[in-house]
């Protein structure tokens, strides 16, 4: 069960955030409204939400999942792969220290984005993407092992982050799209396949029994309901324009 979440208010500069989506620039006022709705959804799932202030120096800083990884035993501050995002870690570290006495760090030349790290109980799958290199992944594995947990690397291509195409929904349930549907690392899971035309919906979050998913993906929503999940759709279209999924907008712990 999750008790807390950390989110960060989007800044005006988000309209200049990194993107390859070709969906146009986000509409700032709408993004703020959607962010509020996202916070409400988390609260509805019984989570206390810490909201960090907007920081105009970092256009992508609302995607708080990337600069930190929060586990049961420790927090890990990452070294984000994109140069414009490296400075996001300072504010996240301050916020995380209020909850975690033990804070670890990924050091250069290792790079790691939290979006590449998927927690399955005490094991962490780490996607080797353009943002996360094997040095960063191996540092994370060493940190996890020193705290009685484990990690393994997942080769990947085509997607920004591991969790762009993959979400763990507890009790061995995995939502997957694209190449992850055939990936050997995930064959033991009960995989719920997302259709190619709804691939954005593969990024969703399990929060205390409810799956918060992006609005507008009717087939995936139906599949999740048929699999027995309570589903809470939230419109995050303005974040999709920046290649950001639902999971990237919060740290849950
Ligand atoms: C970026 O490219 O870094 C941001 N525009 C989107 C980050 C999304 N984060 C995530 O999937 N964990």
């Amino acid at each position: 069960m999750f008790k807390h979440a950390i989110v960060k208010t989007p800044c005006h500069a988000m309209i200049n955030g990194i993107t390859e989506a070709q969906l146009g620039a986000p509409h700032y006022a709408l993004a703020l409204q959607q962010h509020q709705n996202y916070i409400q959804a988390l609260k509805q799932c019984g989570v206390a939400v810490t909201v960090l202030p907007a920081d105009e120096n970092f256009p992508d800083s609302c995607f708080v999942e990337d600069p930190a990884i929060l586990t049961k035993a420790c927090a890990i501050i990452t070294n984000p792969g994109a140069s414009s995002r490296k400075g996001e870690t300072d504010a996240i570290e301050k916020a995380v220290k209020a909850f975690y006495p033990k804070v670890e760090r990924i050091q250069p030349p290792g790079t790691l984005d939290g979006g590449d790290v998927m927690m399955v109980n005490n094991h962490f799958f780490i996607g080797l993407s353009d943002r996360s290199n094997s040095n960063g992944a191996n540092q994370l594995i060493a940190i996890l092992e020193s705290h009685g947990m484990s990690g393994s690397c997942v080769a990947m291509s085509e997607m920004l982050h591991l969790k762009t195409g993959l979400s763990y929904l507890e009790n061995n349930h995995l939502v997957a799209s694209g190449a992850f549907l055939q990936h050997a690392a995930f064959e033991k899971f009960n995989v719920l396949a997302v259709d190619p035309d709804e691939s954005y919906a593969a990024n969703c979050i399990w929060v205390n029994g409810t799956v918060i998913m992006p609005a507008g993906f009717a087939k995936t929503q139906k599949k999740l309901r048929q699999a027995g999940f309570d589903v809470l759709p939230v419109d995050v279209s303005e974040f999709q324009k920046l290649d950001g999924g639902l999971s990237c907008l919060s740290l849950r712990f």
Side-chain angles (χ1 to χ4, degrees):
M1 297 290 276
F2 295 114
K3 289 189 181 151
H4 301 281
I6 296 173
V7 303
K8 189 170 173 105
T9 305
C11 58
H12 285 93
M14 79 176 288
I15 59 168
N16 299 317
I18 309 168
T19 183
E20 294 190 1
Q22 298 187 316
L23 294 172
H27 187 289
Y28 183 58
L30 182 55
L32 282 181
Q33 185 55 56
Q34 291 180 347
H35 199 256
Q36 282 299 324
N37 295 343
Y38 179 80
I39 292 169
Q40 284 312 316
L42 288 170
K43 288 182 176 169
Q44 211 173 309
C45 296
V47 171
V49 183
T50 298
V51 184
L52 305 180
D55 185 344
E56 294 296 338
N57 294 312
F58 298 104
D60 288 295
S61 53
C62 60
F63 300 115
V64 287
E65 182 179 62
D66 295 318
I69 297 153
L70 304 184
T71 77
K72 283 175 196 139
C74 64
I76 300 125
I77 304 300
T78 69
N79 177 27
S83 54
S84 66
R85 301 200 60 191
K86 291 195 186 292
E88 290 177 24
T89 53
D90 292 350
I92 289 294
E93 182 165 7
K94 272 191 205 124
V96 158
K97 275 187 169 157
F99 297 96
Y100 282 86
K102 186 72 190 163
V103 178
E104 308 270 11
R105 259 190 180 278
I106 302 297
Q107 307 285 355
T111 63
L112 194 69
D113 277 11
D116 280 317
V117 181
M118 183 175 74
M119 179 175 78
V120 177
N121 306 318
N122 284 329
H123 186 80
F124 292 70
F125 290 95
I126 309 160
L128 297 177
S129 67
D130 286 348
R131 300 287 179 89
S132 301
N133 63 21
S134 52
N135 184 302
N138 288 333
Q139 287 185 48
L140 177 60
I141 292 169
I143 293 168
L144 292 169
E145 288 178 351
S146 74
H147 290 277
M149 299 174 282
S150 59
S152 56
C153 293
V154 178
M156 57 174 283
S157 57
E158 89 182 22
M159 293 185 198
L160 173 61
H161 286 123
L162 182 75
K163 285 187 289 188
T164 305
L166 213 50
S167 304
Y168 184 60
L169 303 185
E170 304 299 311
N171 295 317
N172 210 42
H173 290 288
L174 202 59
V175 177
S177 70
F180 293 131
L181 289 168
Q182 266 81 45
H183 207 297
F186 307 114
E187 60 192 15
K188 293 207 175 99
F189 289 92
N190 182 9
V191 176
L192 193 148
V194 173
D195 289 355
D197 61 334
E198 294 205 353
S199 59
Y200 181 68
N203 180 279
C204 48
I205 50 175
W206 179 97
V207 187
N208 301 339
T210 297
V211 177
I212 305 179
M213 69 169 291
F217 299 91
K219 288 187 286 180
T220 307
Q221 190 172 320
K222 193 171 166 195
K223 280 186 191 177
L224 283 164
R225 290 220 159 99
Q226 279 170 348
F229 291 104
D230 287 333
V231 179
L232 190 49
V234 177
D235 191 355
V236 285
S237 62
E238 302 317 289
F239 303 97
Q240 183 179 8
K241 290 174 180 175
L242 294 181
D243 299 327
L246 248 158
S247 73
C248 351
L249 289 170
S250 61
L251 286 161
R252 304 158 301 281
F253 56 106

